[in-house]
Amino acid sequence: MADGTLMNFVTVDYMSEADMELALVRWTDNRERYLPELTSRGMLRFTVLKIWNRQGIHRLGFWYEYRDPEAYAACKEIWAEIERRGTARQPMKIVANRGVVVEDTSA
């Protein structure tokens, strides 16, 4: 990953474990509809995390990497559509954090 890569980390809290698992199933069923277009627009990486260190919280984390701010902007409308579809089906709390890589160390 190059310095300057745009990062986006989003957490989504669900009302229950069942709601969270249903969201994962829906994503799995629809991912091939979206991922090719996102990568063609400059998304470099997409990772889904199940957050386990918060007792009583049903949370997923989504890690995104984009080539540059223009790639993020090009993908934003697709993610907005996915978010609209998800929130229309089930209640959830979404918190987005964006940043630019200033250091990345791998062992």
Side-chain angles (χ1 to χ4, degrees):
M1 170 185 348
D3 287 353
T5 301
L6 185 68
M7 310 297 290
N8 187 17
F9 183 69
V10 174
T11 58
V12 181
D13 292 351
Y14 298 90
M15 298 294 289
S16 68
E17 181 82 16
D19 285 344
M20 182 177 70
E21 294 299 330
L22 180 58
L24 285 170
V25 168
R26 286 181 174 148
W27 170 249
T28 300
D29 290 347
N30 289 289
R31 66 192 305 273
E32 291 309 315
R33 175 179 172 189
Y34 297 108
L35 289 178
E37 183 63 23
L38 290 161
T39 56
S40 74
R41 293 182 183 204
M43 185 180 74
L44 303 174
R45 182 177 179 183
F46 174 71
T47 304
V48 180
L49 307 159
K50 187 181 280 189
I51 310 298
W52 55 267
N53 66 331
R54 296 287 180 239
Q55 187 68 23
I57 302 292
H58 313 289
R59 180 175 292 159
L60 294 176
F62 300 90
W63 181 264
Y64 314 82
E65 293 178 22
Y66 298 96
R67 181 183 60 242
D68 51 35
E70 292 76 24
Y72 165 75
C75 293
K76 190 175 178 181
E77 67 187 52
I78 296 172
W79 289 119
E81 174 189 336
I82 294 167
E83 184 178 320
R84 276 192 302 277
R85 294 170 76 100
T87 57
R89 291 180 178 144
Q90 62 192 122
M92 60 185 77
K93 177 184 172 187
I94 301 169
V95 177
N97 301 277
R98 293 176 185 86
V100 176
V101 175
V102 294
E103 181 179 348
D104 181 34
T105 304
S106 297

